[in-house]
Amino acid sequence: MIKKLIVDFFKKIETDEGIDSRNGKAIFFVNSLLEEKHGKFHYISIQKATRIHKKYVENYNEVSANVKDPFLKDVMAEYLGFKDFENYRKSFTIDSNIDEENNLIEGKEGESIGLLAIILKNKIPILIGSILMVSLFVIYKDTLLVNSNCIVWKKDHYKKVPCYYLNSISNATYHIDIDRFKKVTLTKDMEFFTNEKPNYWYGSNKKGKREFFTARGVHPETLKELKPITEHILKSEGFPLL
């Protein structure tokens, strides 16, 4: 179950964040989830996150990277859309029970086909109905729920709104901290880096003009992932570092 959790976790980072490299996914795990979202600085190193990826995703069995910490498992499960790891684990209980039931039936020679047919006949309508209900809920959940997770851009910041608003996007996809995320104009008295870590991100609008923001996220016009500022970018903007 731990391996499946970790594989699902890194796969979602690759899909949702557009990060393909092992190191890039490890940096996102440590910097964006543990540090920025949960305030857990230096909880694990990027190197350890990389080893976790190598061991469980790339099957490097000789790599030592056990994940026994309940908090780390909860963070991964939460990113996958579950309350915690226990909630993630329980989501597979139904499938396990069905497998056990089928195994018991197959153990009875001469009765397996008949009994299995009866069980499937009784369960298929329920399963189909459940699948349809879940599918409809997934499609329309942001519209149906009062506390939807959609946001819309307002001048220099994101605002939480119902998902039927024009130009709204689902923050369940982008995971933007809207309390911190603002568009700003750089000035020379800003602290661009803290302990060598960037305090601002940048991206180009639809006209190709570079714009700056106070947190990780996507550009509100293009929805492309922002990049952290560098000394080179600052120099090109007329802010040479001393």
Side-chain angles (χ1 to χ4, degrees):
M1 186 60 69
I2 296 298
K3 176 178 174 62
K4 179 169 177 55
L5 170 72
I6 295 171
V7 171
D8 289 349
F9 171 70
F10 281 113
K11 183 64 177 177
K12 184 173 175 62
I13 291 178
E14 182 176 333
T15 302
D16 290 2
E17 311 299 333
I19 303 173
D20 297 326
S21 68
R22 174 205 306 151
N23 190 57
K25 286 182 274 189
I27 291 173
F28 177 81
F29 182 20
V30 174
N31 291 353
S32 298
L33 297 183
L34 294 179
E35 295 186 358
E36 291 184 18
K37 185 172 183 179
H38 292 280
K40 297 289 186 179
F41 294 90
H42 310 296
Y43 197 81
I44 65 170
S45 65
I46 292 173
Q47 290 76 11
K48 179 173 181 179
T50 300
R51 292 198 303 272
I52 292 173
H53 188 284
K54 290 180 69 175
K55 180 178 179 65
Y56 291 95
V57 178
E58 301 174 67
N59 297 315
Y60 281 70
N61 294 325
E62 69 276 11
V63 175
S64 176
N66 291 325
V67 182
K68 297 181 179 179
D69 190 326
F71 174 72
L72 291 180
K73 291 187 285 186
D74 286 346
V75 169
M76 293 182 187
E78 180 184 325
Y79 183 72
L80 289 170
F82 296 87
K83 180 181 179 182
D84 51 30
F85 173 69
E86 182 63 18
N87 189 255
Y88 172 85
R89 185 186 65 79
K90 287 181 178 179
S91 69
F92 298 95
T93 302
I94 295 176
D95 291 338
S96 298
N97 290 339
I98 292 175
D99 289 340
E100 290 177 4
E101 196 170 292
N102 287 340
N103 288 335
L104 288 174
I105 293 171
E106 290 172 357
K108 297 181 179 180
E109 293 184 7
E111 298 180 8
S112 60
I113 297 177
L115 288 176
L116 182 59
I118 293 172
I119 290 174
L120 289 177
K121 180 180 179 180
N122 291 332
K123 286 189 173 182
I124 283 176
I126 298 175
L127 289 173
I128 292 176
S130 299
I131 291 171
L132 287 174
M133 290 179 65
V134 171
S135 300
L136 289 172
F137 179 78
V138 169
I139 295 171
Y140 296 106
K141 65 178 181 178
D142 288 330
T143 302
L144 296 173
L145 295 178
V146 175
N147 296 322
S148 62
N149 199 19
C150 284
I151 55 177
V152 70
W153 184 249
K154 296 290 185 180
K155 188 177 180 180
D156 63 354
H157 65 282
Y158 279 111
K159 179 181 179 182
K160 194 171 184 179
V161 295
C163 290
Y164 52 77
Y165 268 47
L166 183 65
N167 297 324
S168 65
I169 61 175
S170 173
N171 204 23
T173 299
Y174 297 105
H175 307 287
I176 299 172
D177 184 351
I178 64 174
D179 293 327
R180 292 181 52 216
F181 192 94
K182 301 286 188 301
K183 185 169 76 171
V184 295
T185 300
L186 297 186
T187 61
K188 63 181 180 180
D189 57 343
M190 287 179 169
E191 183 178 356
F192 297 121
F193 300 93
T194 301
N195 295 328
E196 299 183 355
K197 291 185 178 181
N199 294 325
Y200 299 91
W201 283 255
Y202 72 95
S204 298
N205 61 21
K206 291 182 177 179
K207 296 181 179 179
K209 180 181 178 182
R210 188 182 293 150
E211 296 178 320
F212 295 86
F213 303 83
T214 56
R216 183 198 67 79
V218 295
H219 194 283
E221 288 184 16
T222 64
L223 298 183
K224 291 184 178 179
E225 185 174 3
L226 300 177
K227 299 178 181 179
I229 60 167
T230 62
E231 292 184 7
H232 174 74
I233 292 297
L234 289 172
K235 288 179 182 178
S236 69
E237 290 292 322
F239 296 96
L241 299 178
L242 298 179

